[in-house]
Amino acid sequence: MAAEPLIKVENLVKHFVVRLGAFGERGATVYAVDDVNFDIFAGETLSLVGESGCGKSTTGFTLLNLQKATSGKVLFQGENIVSLDEKRMRPYRRELQIVFQDPYSTLNPRMTIGEVVGEPILFHKLATKAELPERVSRLLADVGLPARFAQRYPHELSGGQRQRVAIARALACEPKFIVCDEAISALDVSVQAQIINLLLDLQEKYGLTYLFIAHDLAVVRHISTRVGVMYLGRMAELASREQLFSNPLHPYTKALLSAVPEADPELEKTRQRQILTGDVPSPLAPPAGCRFHTRCPIAMDKCKAVVPEWREVVPGHHVACHAVEQGAAG
Amino acid sequence: MTITPVILSSTVADDEPPVSLWRDAWHRLLRNKLAVAGLAVVILLAFVAVFGPWLTPYDFLTQDLNARNQAPSLAHLFGTDDLGRDVFSRVVYGTRTAFVVAIVVTAIAVVIGVALGAMAGFFGGMFDRIVMWFTDMTMSVPNLLLVVVINASLKTPITAWMEARYQATLNPFYRETIWVDFLLVFGSMALISWPPYARLVRAQVLSIRGRPYVTAARALGLTNRLILMRYIVPNAIGPLIVSVSAGLGTAMVLESAFSFLGVGVNPPTPSWGNMISDGLRVWQHYPHLLAAPAAVLGLATVAFSFLGDGLNDALNPRGSK
Amino acid sequence: MTAPADNKPLLDVRGLTIEIDTRRGPAVIVDGINLTVGKGETVGVVGESGCGKSLTMLSLVRLLPNKIRVKSGTAEFAGRDLLKMSKSELRQVRGGKIGFVFQDPMTSLNPVMRIGDQLCEPLIYHRNMSKADARERAIELLRLVGIPGPEQRIEAYPHELSGGMRQRVMIAIGLACDPELLIADEPTTALDVTIQAQIVDLVKDLRKKLNMSVVWITHDLALIAGLVDRVAVLYAGTVVEDAPVNELFARPTHPYTRGLLASIPKLSDERASRLSSIGGTPPEPGRRPKGCPFAPRCALAESVCHERVPVLEPVAGSTGHRVACFVAQRQMMEAA
Ligand SMILES: Nc1ncnc2c1ncn2[C@@H]1O[C@H](COP(=O)(O)OP(=O)(O)OP(=O)(O)O)[C@@H](O)[C@H]1O
Ligand SMILES: Nc1ncnc2c1ncn2[C@@H]1O[C@H](COP(=O)(O)OP(=O)(O)O)[C@@H](O)[C@H]1O
Ligand code: SF4
Ligand code: SF4
Ligand SMILES: [Mg+2]
Ligand SMILES: [Mg+2]
């Protein structure tokens, strides 16, 4: 792997203060992202998986400084971008883009597709007004849409087509890095594969780096270089795709992988599932010690009190669990 | 490497021209019979307001003391009043007053309301709290009371000052007290009309601010001004149009109420309000003096409210899917 | 495994057609669906969003929303046509002999009623139980669906429960009167995979214990692979393929089914290899093509496909496997 990471995330924390009760009389803290560390290397696809509400999107948002981090650093080209104000952030905005989940609210309904895709080009002065139509057509062609779509409005497009436009808008600034926040989750099954192929093609063509946030593990296994597993705001495990899927070390990762159904009735019949008991605890009151201890099948006394350390147990394989030995093979 | 183009589904037929949301809304509006009727009445009244003075058979001030308090006839469609003035002509001219007041007042109120509401919603924090405190304060004081107080406390000093200026300069401009009337009416009505617009726009902005397309615009690095102008305001404008349409009707009623209380447009300028208030005194003997302006006022408010409802449905594509 | 081929099916839907009023007049959204569910059988109904899965099931208990109605067809349940029953007969069936679990647990539970009361209601109504007995049974049901501390939880309001627990409460309500048929409409779509695995496990277990028939609606082919006996694949309001589960995964026959299966990433795939995908998107209701509804996206389409609508016919050389495709039928004939 390339030595110098494109993005370095250090001790990133994001807490939300929310008001509870009928009159908002009680304050509480949501521990959305709590002390998360990882690197993203140029040209790779790093996926974040985990259950809903575990902090995947919040990680993506704070990383792009779209939400102010509570503490911690995100280093991009040597600059800690989460400490920048909007004005000083602007030059970096061009290089760091995002694609959202819901294809129905991701485009401004009052703008034509041409305006949506053209706006960032003009704003960042990447082309003149005269060159714009040509640029827009090329971007639309890149995402597999005909040029005449430039005149259309978002409500005239299907979900998959809108998602293509959202990708074209992100590409318009010629970014280095794109966060795909559940970018395919809301699409029809038959359309998902189209968009996955598109993302892969564009990565190859433009040398893009992705942070791919998803909950569908089959898709994640397909497109990732490395995979990070989150649980209740903390990172549980991070490893290359091969290591994570063939040799998961964290008990939560093991349970997660065993819960994913496979499209194969024969295999399903013989497969040993590890069914977790209990529900995901609330991020308003995360358990002390290891946050997984309320559901962990091998939890020990120590787990209830001591937060497991985030360690690299084998080169390239990070895990946070008391039960995993240094140099463990699983 | 090539990317296979998507085979287009039936979502968009190739030959169909692109339809903007506004065009779509317009077509939906035209399918709503009540709204179309409202629209027709509004257009008719607007036409009367603009061209009325050239259409009426009499001047609204011409008195014909031989023909006082006449019942409606072919010569005087709505009859004549106690000074022998043609009521039809006065109602027609009153339409102009009503529209001028309604449009000016609503325009001022909308400008104040949208500016404060949009900024309050977008920036939040201290600014938001101050603006909301002002709106709450204004809304909690009874409207008419506020207007009466403003009038009572401002009118006398202003007229006195103008009289003094006249004495000093002999400029006839300072004798034109009708401007003071209009200024006070417009000013005080606008002052009580902007808070609902500010609230509406703030609520809209708050909900739109969190939509993914706004976050995407922030991620593109666009400036706050651009985001507000191109992303938030255009999307907040649907409900605003609806409430402006209803607000125009309300402003007309308000103007009439003020005139009725004697704090509005002063005679002899005809306004539906002062005609109603004159007619009310003699309604047992000459009901037409009350009926004509009251009916037209009623018609106008109903028309505006039907149009407002129709716009509400038309601008809400989900409602009729 | 496969349907007990003995007597008549428990549920027999024939030629069910549902239409909706649109601006341009009525439009067909479910077009002549045939579906059978045997006693004790679990049938998966698979299809993409908007293909008519939910409406088909809602029409069976006559709960279609305004402007949407059944145009033609029959739906026999234990020999009686659900679509023609009197209102009072229907009430006996709803929540009694047929249990329902809806797609969205938050909107289908009454937010201002304690879950215990919501559970007791059908018991008191359908089973004439006393309040005390109903409460007893409600606690038992909550325990059955794996809710810890049911004696306390019975007093909870829906918002006090997590998504997974709410979905279990929905299942408990669906099961309350020992239904002969449980219809579950995407019961796990809103849930996390680990919770989904719990629910799937639960239903598998209960089905055996109570000898119920189950219709499980989903868009996730992988999910039903280990769960159902038979699968009906829906596309744009028609059943395009209907087969025993092993047969469907081993020999998918309809081009749409094949496309769907091929577009799921496999364990054995190279990283970042191209997935095979189906171009285009499903038709919107009211804009269905004239012939085969899949024709505009189908790589095998021939001229006949744009003219005539293929009907569901048995696939040569296998039992219980039916497909609605001109080309697939011809190929299977040639192969057999
Ligand atoms: N209340 C309604 N009013 C208008 N159209 C509706 C209504 N309910 C459903 N439809 C339309 O009918 C079609 C079938 O809907 P249905 O809910 O059965 O789909 P589904 O297969 O269950 O999809 P999903 O996977 O999203 O639940 C869709 O095109 C949908 O837009
Ligand atoms: N703006 C916000 N205010 C308060 N809480 C929030 C906000 N955004 C997210 N959260 C909470 O933070 C946690 C992590 O959320 P999110 O990152 O969206 O999860 P994921 O993307 O993994 O599903 C959740 O508990 C969520 O409810
Ligand atoms: S630290 Fe303890 S509770 Fe946490 S995952 Fe490891 S063994 Fe389980
Ligand atoms: S009938 Fe024709 S168009 Fe339809 S699926 Fe078969 S081959 Fe394709
Ligand atoms: Mg998320
Ligand atoms: Mg549904």
Side-chain angles (χ1 to χ4, degrees):
Chain A
M1 206 148 289
E4 209 28 47
L6 180 71
I7 293 175
K8 228 174 153 46
V9 177
E10 291 177 1
N11 307 99
L12 190 66
V13 175
K14 175 67 187 175
H15 293 173
F16 295 100
V17 177
V18 291
R19 309 250 116 227
L20 294 177
F23 307 100
E25 70 276 14
R26 279 179 294 136
T29 305
V30 182
Y31 297 88
V33 173
D34 221 1
D35 198 8
V36 163
N37 293 276
F38 59 91
D39 296 341
I40 305 174
F41 295 97
E44 79 165 340
T45 302
L46 174 66
S47 292
L48 282 185
V49 299
E51 293 173 293
S52 95
C54 72
K56 308 181 292 290
S57 301
T58 306
T59 305
F61 275 65
T62 28
L63 197 132
L64 295 184
N65 201 11
L66 287 169
Q67 279 172 346
K68 278 275 160 242
T70 307
S71 65
K73 284 186 186 169
V74 174
L75 298 170
F76 175 70
Q77 300 179 341
E79 181 91 50
N80 177 17
I81 54 174
V82 296
S83 68
L84 299 180
D85 61 23
E86 209 35 61
K87 199 150 170 225
R88 281 163 55 225
M89 185 68 203
R90 199 155 293 141
Y92 297 102
R93 289 265 177 248
R94 228 202 67 210
E95 317 210 40
L96 308 168
Q97 279 302 304
I98 184 161
V99 177
F100 297 97
Q101 167 170 17
D102 178 10
Y104 292 90
S105 54
T106 189
L107 304 176
N108 184 348
R110 306 277 174 212
M111 284 164 80
T112 62
I113 302 311
E115 289 170 337
V116 167
V117 178
E119 180 157 61
I121 302 178
L122 286 183
F123 184 83
H124 290 290
K125 304 202 173 56
L126 300 171
T128 63
K129 263 220 161 82
E131 297 162 349
L132 193 65
E134 153 72 23
R135 275 289 187 99
V136 170
S137 317
R138 227 175 41 225
L139 281 162
L140 289 181
D142 267 350
V143 297
L145 293 174
R148 69 191 143 75
F149 266 48
Q151 266 79 50
R152 301 214 173 269
Y153 282 88
H155 70 282
E156 302 175 273
L157 271 53
S158 71
Q161 290 166 347
R162 287 179 217 206
Q163 213 57 330
R164 285 172 192 268
V165 174
I167 294 172
R169 170 180 59 195
L171 286 179
C173 323
E174 302 165 13
K176 287 198 171 74
F177 172 70
I178 303 182
V179 173
C180 303
D181 186 6
E182 307 264 8
I184 58 159
S185 308
L187 299 176
D188 278 340
V189 190
S190 71
V191 180
Q192 275 187 2
Q194 298 170 11
I195 303 293
I196 294 173
N197 285 341
L198 174 65
L199 287 171
L200 290 170
D201 289 346
L202 292 170
Q203 180 167 48
E204 190 184 322
K205 186 166 172 184
Y206 296 114
L208 296 169
T209 305
Y210 293 136
L211 179 68
F212 191 84
I213 297 172
H215 60 257
D216 184 340
L217 280 145
V219 171
V220 164
R221 188 177 54 202
H222 186 81
I223 81 159
S224 320
T225 322
R226 290 185 308 142
V227 183
V229 181
M230 287 186 76
Y231 187 80
L232 272 185
R234 293 225 184 101
M235 202 68 119
E237 185 162 6
L238 175 69
S240 71
R241 149 193 133 109
E242 291 76 16
Q243 280 180 54
L244 192 101
F245 283 96
S246 61
N247 183 23
L249 296 178
H250 197 283
Y252 175 64
T253 313
K254 289 180 185 167
L256 197 64
L257 294 183
S258 96
V260 180
E262 285 284 345
D264 181 346
E266 295 300 330
L267 187 89
E268 281 292 326
K269 224 153 275 154
T270 52
R271 194 158 151 211
Q272 279 305 310
R273 267 190 205 297
Q274 184 192 339
I275 308 276
L276 288 177
T277 51
D279 286 298
V280 186
S282 157
L284 278 171
C290 173
R291 290 196 176 165
F292 187 54
H293 83 246
T294 54
R295 298 170 79 199
C296 180
I298 56 167
M300 310 165 280
D301 279 344
K302 184 180 178 191
C303 306
K304 295 188 181 122
V306 185
V307 178
E309 192 193 344
W310 179 240
R311 295 172 295 147
E312 187 166 11
V313 287
V314 214
H317 199 148
H318 294 75
V319 69
C321 171
H322 295 308
V324 177
E325 303 291 325
Q326 194 66 30
Chain B
M1 177 200 55
T2 53
I3 290 158
T4 21
V6 201
I7 304 163
L8 281 183
S9 73
S10 51
T11 320
V12 192
D14 278 8
D15 45 353
E16 268 179 45
V19 203
S20 81
L21 281 180
W22 297 115
R23 274 259 292 284
D24 230 22
W26 176 242
H27 287 302
R28 271 196 297 270
L29 184 69
L30 290 187
R31 272 195 308 275
N32 182 337
K33 293 202 185 62
L34 280 182
V36 171
L39 183 64
V41 171
V42 167
I43 291 175
L44 177 76
L45 288 173
F47 181 82
V48 167
V50 175
F51 298 107
W54 289 281
L55 303 175
T56 55
Y58 308 93
D59 183 66
F60 67 91
L61 283 177
T62 308
Q63 305 182 1
D64 181 354
L65 296 178
N66 295 322
R68 292 166 48 187
N69 292 330
Q70 283 187 358
S73 66
L74 270 186
H76 300 283
L77 275 179
F78 293 170
T80 60
D81 67 6
D82 58 344
L83 297 172
R85 295 175 299 193
D86 180 46
V87 174
F88 179 72
S89 304
R90 290 182 63 76
V91 167
V92 165
Y93 201 87
T95 311
R96 176 177 274 198
T97 312
F99 265 78
V100 169
V101 173
I103 288 173
V104 173
V105 166
T106 310
I108 300 174
V110 165
V111 169
I112 302 176
V114 169
L116 290 182
M119 289 194 292
F122 189 68
F123 295 112
M126 203 57 193
F127 186 79
D128 183 27
R129 256 169 291 165
I130 294 173
V131 170
M132 279 304 108
W133 183 79
F134 261 107
T135 44
D136 291 345
M137 283 297 295
T138 324
M139 285 175 90
S140 62
V141 179
N143 286 350
L144 290 176
L145 185 67
L146 200 68
V147 171
V148 171
V149 168
I150 292 173
N151 266 280
S153 53
L154 288 184
K155 190 162 181 172
T156 325
I158 292 182
T159 23
W161 177 79
M162 286 186 60
E163 188 56 30
R165 291 300 298 160
Y166 178 72
Q167 299 297 346
T169 61
L170 288 183
N171 186 340
F173 170 79
Y174 293 111
R175 272 278 159 93
E176 288 275 357
T177 50
I178 181 118
W179 291 113
V180 179
D181 279 355
F182 272 108
L183 196 72
L184 284 174
V185 171
F186 291 159
S188 50
M189 278 177 61
L191 202 64
I192 61 173
S193 304
W194 67 265
Y197 295 118
R199 275 210 175 161
L200 176 80
V201 170
R202 175 177 174 270
Q204 281 288 308
V205 170
L206 279 180
S207 94
I208 294 167
R209 192 178 67 167
R211 306 234 171 113
Y213 58 80
V214 175
T215 314
R218 289 175 53 212
L220 293 171
L222 303 191
T223 55
N224 283 342
R225 202 179 56 84
L226 259 178
I227 294 175
L228 211 55
M229 298 304 294
R230 283 181 53 91
Y231 290 76
I232 295 186
V233 171
N235 285 294
I237 219 142
L240 189 67
I241 290 178
V242 175
S243 98
V244 165
S245 166
L248 285 169
T250 317
M252 289 182 178
V253 175
L254 212 58
E255 182 272 323
S256 297
F258 290 179
S259 300
F260 182 78
L261 291 174
V263 291
V265 178
N266 279 2
T269 311
S271 105
W272 297 338
N274 57 36
M275 292 176 73
I276 290 173
S277 106
D278 290 347
L280 209 57
R281 267 179 272 135
V282 291
W283 72 270
Q284 276 149 321
H285 307 289
Y286 310 109
H288 64 275
L289 293 184
L290 175 61
V296 176
L297 174 62
L299 185 67
T301 39
V302 168
F304 273 114
S305 102
F306 281 167
L307 180 60
D309 282 351
L311 285 169
N312 190 19
D313 295 341
L315 288 169
N316 208 343
R318 247 151 293 161
S320 63
K321 206 185 161 183
Chain C
M1 250 199 27
T2 32
D6 52 330
N7 38 31
K8 277 179 64 179
L10 180 66
L11 177 70
D12 190 356
V13 179
R14 278 170 201 258
L16 182 69
T17 301
I18 299 176
E19 60 176 20
I20 176 172
D21 288 329
T22 69
R23 272 192 255 154
R24 305 190 199 87
V28 167
I29 34 184
V30 168
D31 191 8
I33 279 190
N34 294 314
L35 184 75
T36 59
V37 182
K39 189 103 198 71
E41 188 182 32
T42 301
V43 175
V45 175
V46 201
E48 292 177 277
S49 173
C51 73
K53 306 178 298 279
S54 301
L55 291 181
T56 302
M57 295 310 151
L58 287 175
S59 74
L60 298 183
V61 281
R62 307 231 296 260
L63 287 173
L64 286 178
N66 278 342
K67 293 192 173 178
I68 301 185
R69 61 187 165 269
V70 172
K71 191 176 159 212
S72 57
T74 59
E76 284 194 3
F77 175 72
R80 307 269 300 123
D81 190 349
L82 291 166
L83 305 177
K84 303 214 171 56
M85 269 181 189
S86 69
K87 284 258 157 67
S88 59
E89 263 183 296
L90 193 65
R91 270 195 294 272
Q92 287 303 313
V93 171
R94 274 188 207 159
K97 292 182 182 135
I98 299 184
F100 246 98
V101 181
F102 289 99
Q103 192 160 355
D104 180 356
M106 200 51 204
T107 50
S108 0
L109 286 172
N110 184 346
V112 296
M113 236 170 116
R114 293 178 199 281
I115 59 163
D117 295 336
Q118 302 192 48
L119 259 169
C120 290
E121 228 174 30
L123 293 169
I124 296 171
Y125 178 80
H126 287 293
R127 289 275 178 275
N128 292 323
M129 280 188 187
S130 71
K131 271 209 166 136
D133 289 350
R135 197 189 145 83
E136 197 82 347
R137 169 87 175 129
I139 292 173
E140 189 190 314
L141 282 164
L142 288 179
R143 189 172 291 121
L144 185 73
V145 296
I147 289 189
E151 292 85 358
Q152 292 87 48
R153 289 296 183 174
I154 199 164
E155 305 293 343
Y157 287 97
H159 72 267
E160 297 172 293
L161 304 178
S162 71
M165 291 211 302
R166 282 199 287 266
Q167 196 55 278
R168 274 181 246 195
V169 171
M170 282 297 298
I171 293 176
I173 294 175
L175 294 176
C177 298
D178 302 323
E180 291 167 49
L181 174 66
L182 181 74
I183 298 179
D185 186 356
E186 311 231 19
T188 59
T189 302
L191 304 177
D192 294 319
V193 266
T194 56
I195 308 290
Q196 168 174 292
Q198 292 174 17
I199 301 275
V200 167
D201 221 47
L202 170 72
V203 170
K204 274 186 183 169
D205 193 43
L206 291 174
R207 175 183 63 183
K208 233 177 282 156
K209 266 191 214 150
L210 308 173
N211 189 31
M212 275 189 308
S213 306
V214 179
V215 175
W216 188 288
I217 303 174
T218 179
H219 64 260
D220 186 350
L221 267 169
L223 175 63
I224 55 168
L227 174 68
V228 304
D229 304 314
R230 206 153 51 77
V231 185
V233 181
L234 247 64
Y235 184 76
T238 56
V239 176
V240 294
E241 186 160 9
D242 178 352
V245 67
N246 291 346
E247 172 81 8
L248 189 94
F249 283 91
R251 282 212 304 163
T253 306
H254 195 278
Y256 175 63
T257 317
R258 277 194 259 170
L260 273 188
L261 281 170
S263 65
I264 302 174
K266 308 284 167 324
L267 254 178
S268 49
D269 283 350
E270 282 281 300
R271 172 186 118 77
S273 55
R274 284 187 69 87
L275 289 169
S276 70
S277 69
I278 312 175
T281 46
E284 277 180 50
R287 295 207 166 174
R288 300 158 56 82
K290 185 164 141 251
C292 170
F294 189 57
R297 303 173 73 187
C298 181
L300 302 182
E302 300 174 351
S303 57
V304 59
C305 306
H306 298 282
E307 303 294 321
R308 294 195 293 125
V309 183
V311 293
L312 212 52
E313 277 173 32
V315 170
S318 58
T319 45
H321 190 164
R322 297 184 303 162
V323 68
C325 169
F326 297 119
V327 175
Q329 264 150 10
R330 199 181 59 225
Q331 285 173 347
M332 294 317 247
M333 291 285 255
E334 283 160 7

